[in-house]
Amino acid sequence: MRMRYCPECGGALVPRTVAGQPRNHQFCPACGEPRCESPMVVVTCFVASGKRLLWIRRALAPKAGLWAIPGGYLEGGETLAEGAARELREETGVVIPPQRLQLYMTGTLTFINQIYVGFRATVDSDFTLPGVESLDCAFFSRDECPWQEVAYPEVNNAVEQAYRDLDAGRFSVWHAEMTGKHYSLVPVDTR
């Protein structure tokens, strides 16, 4: 759904055209400025303990009661790693300094207007402490994972790739593109 009114002055927005070409954002004639509905940035952490990944059982809608990789929306003033570390701490009680997080996955999810940035890290302890946004948290191997209770099965390919990388002991940085009709996950580099 497109914005109809300017968030600054409240004036009606019009379709934006640049050099005779229609753009995918609006324009405010009163302010003389383009107005974009920017995608939300989602940050996550794939945290491993041995061959198991950390999951949370969501306490909040949407998908309350279902399992997901820890993550959430980036907040203003945060770096990507700071946001991922904050979400991890809030949801699981696991504290990992942002500088210890390694870039792992990036992606665009056009059908829900999101940009996705995932990090990875390892821990020596299985200690978790569910926060107010989580009903539970636990480390699961691929075989233990409650696949029938996953909150976002549309991104299971990314999670399965994380398990494959854990098994191999070798990690690439991955890039995903997901539209309403297409999904791809390709390595950006190999390390």
Side-chain angles (χ1 to χ4, degrees):
M1 180 197 246
R2 279 187 152 340
M3 283 191 306
R4 294 179 51 200
Y5 300 97
C6 178
E8 296 296 319
C9 74
L13 297 175
V14 298
R16 176 79 163 159
T17 302
V18 176
Q21 299 294 314
R23 300 292 185 198
N24 198 20
H25 60 269
Q26 304 287 77
F27 185 79
C28 177
C31 294
E33 295 288 332
R35 299 294 181 216
C36 300
E37 293 182 76
S38 300
M40 296 293 292
V41 177
V42 175
V43 288
T44 63
C45 280
F46 291 85
V47 177
S49 176
K51 300 290 184 184
R52 297 174 305 143
L53 288 176
L54 179 57
W55 289 78
I56 63 153
R57 185 182 294 266
R58 295 176 54 84
L60 304 177
K63 314 281 185 162
L66 299 178
W67 291 92
I69 296 297
Y73 292 116
L74 185 70
E75 294 182 0
E78 292 181 318
T79 67
L80 295 168
E82 288 169 347
R86 175 189 49 77
E87 285 288 343
L88 179 65
R89 183 184 66 254
E90 289 175 356
E91 293 180 346
T92 70
V94 174
V95 177
I96 299 177
Q99 61 272 21
R100 271 201 44 221
L101 299 178
Q102 296 176 316
L103 181 63
Y104 184 52
M105 290 187 182
T106 63
T108 53
L109 295 90
T110 61
F111 68 101
I112 54 174
N113 200 28
Q114 291 181 353
I115 296 170
Y116 170 83
V117 181
F119 292 87
R120 68 179 184 86
T122 58
V123 292
D124 296 327
S125 167
D126 290 355
F127 173 80
T128 61
L129 181 63
V132 297
E133 297 179 12
S134 305
L135 298 172
D136 194 8
C137 29
F139 286 88
F140 295 118
S141 70
R142 182 193 325 238
D143 293 336
E144 298 166 334
C145 184
W147 293 107
Q148 300 306 313
E149 299 175 50
V150 171
Y152 301 101
E154 52 276 351
V155 296
N156 277 358
N157 286 349
V159 177
E160 289 172 4
Q161 184 61 57
Y163 279 117
R164 284 192 295 275
D165 287 348
L166 274 178
D167 288 343
R170 194 175 61 245
F171 295 89
S172 292
V173 174
W174 297 89
H175 180 72
E177 289 187 3
M178 187 182 297
T179 68
K181 299 176 183 175
H182 170 76
Y183 177 81
S184 69
L185 181 66
V186 296
V188 175
D189 71 355
T190 53
R191 296 178 199 208

